Amino acid sequence: MGRPAAPARNPEPMAFFAVFRTAFLLAVLSWRTCQSEVLPERLPLTPESLHISINSTLQHLHLQWTVHKLPYQELQMIFQIEISRFETSKVIWMGNYSTTVKRNQVLQWSWESELPLECATHFVRMKSTVDDARFPELSFSSNWSPWEEVHAHTPEQNTDLIFPRDKLVEEGSNVTFCYNSGINQNISCYLDRELIHGEQLYLNIFTFKLNNVPFIREGGTNIYCAVNYTIKDGTVLFVSKVLEEPKDFSCETQDFKTLSCSWDPGVDTGLFFDGQPSQHYTLFESFSGKKKFCEHNNQCNWEISRDLQETYNFTLTAENYLRKRSVNTIFNLTHRVHPKAPDSIHFNNVGATNATMTWKMPALGNYSTLLCQIELHDKENMRQEHNVSIKVNGEFLFSELMPDTAYMVCIRCANAKHVWKWSKWVTRTLITAEAAPSKALDVWRKVKPEKGLHHVTLFWKPLSKFHANGKILFYNIVAKDLDKKSELKLQSIPAPANGTELTLDQGSYQIQVTANNSVGASPASEIVISGDSGNEEVEEQKINGTKDGFLISWKPLSEDRAGYVVDWCEHQRNLHCELQWKNVGPNTTSTVISSDAFRPGIRYNFRIYELSTEKIAYLVENKIGYTQELAPSDSPQVKAINVTSHSFTLSWKDYDTEAQRGFIQGYRVCLKSKATQCHLDSVAELLPDNSTCCEHAINNPKQKIFLVENLQPESFYEFFVSSFTSAGKSPIGTFTKVTTQDEHSHMLMHIILPMVLCVLLIAVMCYWKSQWVKEKCYPDIPDPYKSSILSLIKSKESPHLRIMNVKDCTPDTIEVVNKSEGTKTQFIGIEKPLTESEFPKPANLYLLPAQDFCVPGPCISFVNHTYSESACDSGSCAHTPVPDTAPPCHLELLASPDNLLNTLEKTHTDSLGEIPAGKISLNYVSQLASPMSGDKDSLLIHSPVPVLCSEYKMQMAVPSCLDSPVLSENGSLSSMTLLGQDKHYH
């Protein structure tokens, strides 16, 4: 079988494909030809007439250009801009600017440069693209415009080297400075002496960048550059605070005539620079279209129009050189009413408990009703609060006030319908009138009986201001004797006294006390003093207190009682007791006494009284205690008595236990000795000085005597006694030393004591008999000044007579020659002293008168040896020889009669008489002074008679043979010379 033959091909489809391809190619070629013809017509959309300027202050490049031959009236276009620096190839910025371009419009755009424009040459070019959805066929980009060059300043053109000049920026901004040196130099730049690190930007251009610059001062900050430490140029950088948006912007009216808008401006951005003053504010109201420049930085006034526009929309704009800030508010005028403060406030009809207040409000027309808020305060807090609605005038009545009280009244008002703001508070003081005191005084008493009387001290607590109702002027005290009901005692005590004293007899008295002010008296407080008040005695009971006080309880005395009173002294140790008391109800038998005055270590005494229904107080109990016991502050002053050889006794009876800082529970006796072991009744105690003592315990606080026994004779001991309370012992002080006696010392006392008593008895007896012994054994020497003979002298007849002193006389000595025994007696002036056996016996001497007459009987004259010893010792005695032939009885004048006594009392001479054999009775006449003048030697030579010593004083004894004194011719008593055989004067 054979293969079938292939069918023949149809030539028609192939021809159709060839024709279609040829047609497509021709269409494409035709479109390209058309497109090439339309494109040249659209080239004029390229930006043209490009002009560039520099704003050095803002560092802006300002561009202006146009687009010619717009196919339509306006198109939405995008302009692509390139900016180069130094060279066109060094593009530093590229961006787009979109806008709607109108035919023949001049377009403007600005670019801010970080680098100062003066530091470099800039180049700018741009191209445009139609971006309008209405004309999609025009969506293509134009060609670039030619590069436009902007030349920077060079050193040859300007002497300034640092740019920018006096730059103003906000705080926190970034600033770049450049230094154009003209030539390549090694420079350093500084910000307020702080080096700034920079970099070389291009050939002779150096840049220094400051980031986040702070506000330093309002006067600006210095920036300067130096080459080799030589300053080339400098400028000032001004940094301003950032302008803030106004805060709390609001507007209000007080009279519907003016709107007052206020705000918080924030910080002031002003500098000490003409280019940056403080920000200014503008107020714009959108509904009226009005605008106002505000004179102040925080408030602005707006006049309300007469048509009373209800709604306002204000925009407040704050602006300075760098930026603007705006805020907005919209409000209804009636909702922004801020009334003025009330005035003409007065108080009328002020009484003790009520008062009326009136006030006025500034007129607001008929637009608003005001709501006024009234507050009443005393010194502590607010007492009343009230709201009152008014138009213009207001009135309010205060009630339930306290008498004589100062209140502070505050009032303010606001719009009653829409409270926007309250007016300012206005404050006035209201003082109510006084009233009589409303409460009786709290009275207590202290009774002290003495000698049949009652000394009553009254105490009362001042009324509080709440109850006084005025200033208390005085207190009235009325004491009524219940036994004599008609007898009253009235006493008025001026305020501010809080007590007084009364002296009453021991009868029963009713005492009433009232407080009085200018209006009246308080209710009377009554207390009764019974006849036995103050004589109550109860046993003291100890109680323990705490830091919070004392819990005191007691047992009632009777069922019929009105209450209890507990009294105590606030400051127990003070001499003046500040008596305090507390009233307790009749059904209470315990109470807590607390006071800020209570102190640890101080004893307090509490007395509980029960008040009968007759107001008579009966002492129930007496309690003592401490809030906290302390150790005693001092130790007893101990005396050692009854010291023996084996014991001694310690005594401290004057130790006051009540003044201590706790209840004394006993004593500790500490004894130190050389013994190393303690007795069984004592224990060894280590002292602070590391020494050891034997301590004896006394647990009875009333025992204040202690016998220390079992001691060694003639031994040395030291002791100290301390007291102790529940809190501890008193401090250890100085030990007292004692030495025991010898065992035989008591026997010596039995001997010595009687001897001492006898000596004392003799001494006392001798003292009693001393005057008698003196008169018998040592009689007084006669005093010539006290002699009775002086009263007999007639001073007028002899005015020169006087009593001579011992020192004025030099007496002679006398020898007696007619002694029968032949024994020679020598007196003062001889060399050999006399012995007792040689003492001369009395001899019979004759006194011979100077004239030729002889007196019968013996005559004796003697020298007073008391006077003559001192005289003869001085060597002034004159020795006058006596002639042997002289008559046995011869008297011769020794001195002038003018110096003798004129007369002698006859009774003295008549008393002379006979004396027994060997003796002669002598009558004392006088001591005679015979002063002489002249030379002694001449007297001894020429005088035939014996010459006496000058100022010679002599005692004379006149025997009974003379009936009268020997007188001279002129009647005066003569001196006498003692004559004897073979003897002479010395």
Side-chain angles (χ1 to χ4, degrees):
M1 207 173 144
R3 188 177 199 177
R9 297 180 176 180
N10 191 358
E12 293 181 0
M14 296 296 293
F16 176 77
F17 178 76
V19 173
F20 177 77
R21 185 176 62 177
T22 303
F24 177 76
L25 291 174
L26 291 174
V28 171
L29 180 62
S30 176
W31 179 81
R32 289 180 61 88
T33 303
C34 180
Q35 189 73 11
S36 62
E37 293 177 355
V38 174
L39 183 61
E41 294 180 359
R42 296 176 180 174
L43 289 178
L45 294 179
T46 301
E48 298 178 358
S49 304
L50 179 62
H51 175 72
I52 303 174
S53 61
I54 296 177
N55 187 337
S56 297
T57 303
L58 300 178
Q59 291 296 312
H60 284 181
L61 284 178
H62 189 65
L63 282 64
Q64 291 182 341
W65 72 94
T66 59
V67 178
H68 298 287
K69 299 179 181 180
L70 285 179
Y72 301 100
Q73 187 66 30
E74 62 179 19
L75 289 175
Q76 188 71 29
M77 302 183 67
I78 300 176
F79 296 91
Q80 185 178 0
I81 305 172
E82 288 184 352
I83 300 177
S84 299
R85 185 177 291 159
F86 299 114
E87 297 176 0
T88 57
S89 60
K90 295 181 178 182
V91 177
I92 61 172
W93 187 86
M94 180 183 293
N96 294 328
Y97 169 62
S98 299
T99 186
T100 300
V101 181
K102 297 180 180 181
R103 189 175 294 176
N104 299 326
Q105 180 184 2
V106 178
L107 301 175
Q108 297 183 6
W109 178 80
S110 294
W111 173 77
E112 182 179 2
S113 173
E114 293 183 359
L115 181 71
L117 298 175
E118 296 88 350
C119 294
T121 301
H122 291 78
F123 300 90
V124 180
R125 71 174 182 174
M126 66 174 59
K127 66 179 179 178
S128 64
T129 301
V130 177
D131 185 25
D132 199 330
R134 298 173 299 173
F135 311 102
E137 69 277 7
L138 299 179
S139 298
F140 62 92
S141 298
S142 70
N143 297 328
W144 288 101
S145 66
W147 288 101
E148 292 291 333
E149 181 180 356
V150 180
H151 295 282
H153 294 282
T154 61
E156 293 77 16
Q157 297 173 339
N158 198 309
T159 57
D160 294 336
L161 300 177
I162 297 179
F163 299 99
R165 312 297 297 182
D166 299 336
K167 179 68 174 178
L168 173 65
V169 296
E170 282 186 334
E171 183 179 17
S173 303
N174 299 329
V175 184
T176 301
F177 286 85
C178 71
Y179 178 79
N180 190 342
S181 63
I183 58 175
N184 191 0
Q185 302 183 38
N186 186 15
I187 66 169
S188 300
C189 294
Y190 301 88
L191 173 66
D192 266 359
R193 300 183 181 181
E194 182 178 352
L195 181 64
I196 307 173
H197 298 285
E199 60 182 3
Q200 186 174 5
L201 183 63
Y202 183 79
L203 295 177
N204 58 336
I205 304 299
F206 297 87
T207 61
F208 305 89
K209 189 172 183 179
L210 303 176
N211 296 322
N212 194 20
V213 292
F215 173 82
I216 299 178
R217 64 180 69 91
E218 293 179 347
T221 306
N222 294 323
I223 296 178
Y224 57 91
C225 294
V227 176
N228 296 328
Y229 302 102
T230 301
I231 297 177
K232 292 298 184 179
D233 192 20
T235 184
V236 179
L237 173 63
F238 293 95
V239 180
S240 168
K241 291 285 186 179
V242 178
L243 179 65
E244 298 179 2
E245 184 180 276
K247 302 180 183 66
D248 302 328
F249 175 52
S250 64
C251 298
E252 60 189 26
T253 182
Q254 290 186 317
D255 53 7
F256 286 94
K257 295 180 180 179
T258 304
L259 271 171
S260 177
C261 299
S262 60
W263 60 90
D264 179 9
V267 297
D268 187 0
T269 62
L271 300 175
F272 297 153
F273 174 57
D274 293 340
Q276 179 68 344
S278 297
Q279 65 267 29
H280 60 272
Y281 294 86
T282 303
L283 195 61
F284 175 74
E285 205 284 307
S286 61
F287 293 123
S288 62
K290 296 180 180 179
K291 186 177 183 180
K292 182 178 182 179
F293 293 96
C294 300
E295 298 179 357
H296 305 283
N297 280 359
N298 59 351
Q299 65 93 20
C300 192
N301 292 328
W302 186 275
E303 296 294 331
I304 297 176
S305 61
R306 294 183 179 181
D307 56 358
L308 291 178
Q309 176 184 340
E310 291 187 2
T311 304
Y312 289 84
N313 186 4
F314 283 108
T315 299
L316 177 66
T317 302
E319 183 179 2
N320 64 7
Y321 188 81
L322 298 175
R323 69 172 65 229
K324 292 182 180 180
R325 293 290 180 90
S326 299
V327 291
N328 179 265
T329 182
I330 184 170
F331 58 88
N332 189 296
L333 180 63
T334 58
H335 297 177
R336 295 294 180 94
V337 178
H338 183 193
K340 295 182 179 179
D343 58 6
S344 302
I345 300 175
H346 300 286
F347 297 102
N348 304 316
N349 303 322
V350 179
T353 58
N354 50 55
T356 301
M357 183 180 74
T358 60
W359 70 96
K360 291 183 179 180
M361 288 297 298
L364 291 177
N366 296 321
Y367 307 110
S368 299
T369 299
L370 297 177
L371 175 67
C372 294
Q373 188 178 39
I374 302 172
E375 292 182 356
L376 183 71
H377 299 258
D378 58 13
K379 291 184 177 180
E380 297 177 354
N381 46 36
M382 184 176 65
R383 294 299 182 183
Q384 298 180 17
E385 183 177 11
H386 307 279
N387 293 325
V388 181
S389 296
I390 65 168
K391 283 289 186 180
V392 177
N393 298 327
E395 181 176 333
F396 183 78
L397 175 64
F398 291 104
S399 59
E400 299 180 358
L401 304 179
M402 298 303 301
D404 190 42
T405 303
Y407 292 97
M408 184 175 64
V409 179
C410 304
I411 182 172
R412 64 178 181 176
C413 298
N415 187 1
K417 293 182 179 180
H418 304 281
V419 178
W420 160 247
K421 285 184 180 180
W422 290 93
S423 68
K424 293 181 179 180
W425 284 105
V426 179
T427 303
R428 295 292 185 270
T429 300
L430 169 63
I431 300 178
T432 56
E434 292 188 359
S438 59
K439 184 181 179 181
L441 291 168
D442 185 2
V443 179
W444 189 235
R445 90 291 183 275
K446 185 177 182 181
V447 181
K448 182 179 179 182
E450 183 180 357
K451 296 180 181 180
L453 298 175
H454 278 160
H455 296 283
V456 180
T457 304
L458 291 178
F459 303 91
W460 57 82
K461 297 179 181 179
L463 292 174
S464 65
K465 187 174 180 60
F466 179 78
H467 296 105
N469 295 338
K471 182 179 180 181
I472 301 300
L473 302 177
F474 58 92
Y475 299 91
N476 279 337
I477 295 94
V478 177
K480 181 180 180 181
D481 192 340
L482 297 180
D483 300 330
K484 305 174 184 178
K485 298 185 180 296
S486 60
E487 183 177 354
L488 296 177
K489 293 184 178 180
L490 177 63
Q491 187 176 2
S492 182
I493 308 298
N498 59 356
T500 187
E501 293 183 357
L502 299 176
T503 301
L504 308 174
D505 56 32
Q506 288 190 339
S508 296
Y509 281 85
Q510 182 189 63
I511 300 176
Q512 293 182 341
V513 184
T514 58
N516 297 262
N517 60 14
S518 61
V519 177
S522 68
S525 296
E526 183 178 311
I527 195 169
V528 175
I529 307 297
S530 63
D532 56 352
S533 295
N535 296 319
E536 306 94 335
E537 293 184 2
V538 295
E539 183 181 356
E540 287 185 345
Q541 301 177 15
K542 295 181 181 180
I543 58 174
N544 295 322
T546 64
K547 62 180 181 180
D548 297 324
F550 296 88
L551 175 59
I552 299 176
S553 60
W554 59 89
K555 295 180 180 179
L557 287 179
S558 63
E559 296 295 334
D560 188 14
R561 56 184 177 270
Y564 297 93
V565 174
V566 182
D567 70 4
W568 71 95
C569 287
E570 190 84 295
H571 303 283
Q572 189 70 22
R573 291 185 177 179
N574 291 351
L575 295 178
H576 176 67
C577 171
E578 297 182 10
L579 188 67
Q580 302 293 320
W581 66 94
K582 181 178 181 180
N583 296 302
V584 182
N587 298 323
T588 303
T589 57
S590 65
T591 186
V592 175
I593 304 297
S594 60
S595 173
D596 294 336
F598 287 157
R599 295 291 181 267
I602 297 180
R603 178 180 294 189
Y604 295 96
N605 187 7
F606 299 92
R607 294 179 296 272
I608 300 96
Y609 293 87
E610 184 179 276
L611 294 178
S612 67
T613 54
E614 292 82 12
K615 303 297 183 181
I616 301 176
Y618 298 97
L619 181 61
V620 178
E621 292 183 11
N622 189 4
K623 299 179 182 293
I624 56 175
Y626 298 82
T627 57
Q628 179 184 352
E629 289 192 57
L630 302 178
S633 59
D634 57 355
S635 299
Q637 298 294 325
V638 183
K639 297 180 181 179
I641 59 176
N642 300 331
V643 181
T644 66
S645 58
H646 295 285
S647 67
F648 58 84
T649 302
L650 302 179
S651 175
W652 55 95
K653 294 183 179 180
D654 57 346
Y655 185 60
D656 184 9
T657 59
E658 294 185 359
Q660 298 307 313
R661 303 192 299 175
F663 292 117
I664 300 298
Q665 297 181 352
Y667 302 93
R668 296 288 185 265
V669 179
C670 193
L671 184 66
K672 291 196 299 185
S673 65
K674 295 181 180 179
T676 58
Q677 293 184 352
C678 298
H679 292 285
L680 296 177
D681 59 346
S682 63
V683 294
E685 180 74 14
L686 183 63
L687 300 177
D689 58 355
N690 295 326
S691 61
T692 304
C693 74
C694 296
E695 187 177 82
H696 300 263
I698 302 175
N699 296 321
N700 182 9
K702 296 182 179 180
Q703 179 181 339
K704 297 184 179 181
I705 191 169
F706 182 76
L707 176 62
V708 183
E709 52 188 356
N710 299 324
L711 306 179
Q712 297 297 324
E714 296 184 87
S715 298
F716 178 75
Y717 294 91
E718 293 181 272
F719 66 87
F720 182 81
V721 179
S722 61
S723 58
F724 67 92
T725 65
S726 62
K729 294 193 301 184
S730 60
I732 298 295
T734 304
F735 278 74
T736 304
K737 302 175 182 179
V738 64
T739 303
T740 56
Q741 297 180 357
D742 185 10
E743 288 183 314
H744 304 289
S745 60
H746 63 282
M747 299 178 63
L748 295 176
M749 294 298 297
H750 292 305
I751 299 174
I752 295 175
L753 186 59
M755 294 179 62
V756 172
L757 292 177
C758 291
V759 171
L760 290 177
L761 182 60
I762 294 172
V764 172
M765 295 298 295
C766 291
Y767 177 78
W768 287 346
K769 294 297 183 177
S770 62
Q771 190 65 29
W772 178 81
V773 172
K774 180 178 179 183
E775 292 178 356
K776 296 299 181 180
C777 300
Y778 305 99
D780 293 336
I781 299 175
D783 189 352
Y785 289 93
K786 299 179 181 179
S787 177
S788 61
I789 197 65
L790 294 180
S791 62
L792 304 176
I793 299 174
K794 298 180 180 179
S795 58
K796 293 184 179 180
E797 297 179 1
S798 299
H800 300 289
L801 292 180
R802 64 188 180 91
I803 301 299
M804 299 188 68
N805 294 324
V806 176
K807 65 181 180 178
D808 298 333
C809 175
T810 306
D812 290 336
T813 59
I814 301 175
E815 280 189 4
V816 179
V817 296
N818 57 346
K819 190 173 181 181
S820 60
E821 293 83 3
T823 301
K824 182 176 179 180
T825 302
Q826 187 174 4
F827 293 97
I828 298 174
I830 66 177
E831 297 178 359
K832 182 179 179 182
L834 295 176
T835 63
E836 185 178 355
S837 61
E838 296 174 346
F839 195 86
K841 296 181 179 180
N844 295 330
L845 302 180
Y846 294 90
L847 293 176
L848 302 179
Q851 274 98 10
D852 296 331
F853 64 89
C854 182
V855 180
C859 294
I860 296 176
S861 177
F862 64 91
V863 174
N864 190 335
H865 294 279
T866 303
Y867 300 141
S868 63
E869 286 185 21
S870 60
C872 293
D873 288 341
S874 62
S876 59
C877 293
H879 302 276
T880 305
V882 180
D884 295 338
T885 58
C889 199
H890 177 71
L891 296 176
E892 186 176 351
L893 289 174
L894 302 176
S896 173
D898 295 337
N899 296 327
L900 299 177
L901 293 172
N902 290 328
T903 182
L904 295 173
E905 191 66 41
K906 183 177 180 180
T907 57
H908 292 279
T909 58
D910 292 342
S911 63
L912 297 175
E914 297 282 340
I915 63 172
K919 295 183 180 179
I920 186 170
S921 297
L922 302 178
N923 290 331
Y924 175 75
V925 178
S926 179
Q927 289 183 351
L928 304 180
S930 180
M932 300 179 65
S933 61
D935 192 355
K936 286 185 178 182
D937 295 336
S938 61
L939 292 174
L940 293 174
I941 297 173
H942 301 290
S943 177
V945 296
V947 181
L948 298 176
C949 297
S950 63
E951 301 294 330
Y952 178 73
K953 297 179 181 179
M954 184 177 183
Q955 286 184 344
M956 293 179 296
V958 181
S960 59
C961 64
L962 295 180
D963 294 335
S964 64
V966 181
L967 302 177
S968 62
E969 295 179 356
N970 55 2
S972 61
L973 182 65
S974 301
S975 298
M976 298 174 215
T977 305
L978 180 62
L979 302 178
Q981 296 177 358
D982 302 325
K983 304 296 177 182
H984 62 274
Y985 285 98
H986 293 286

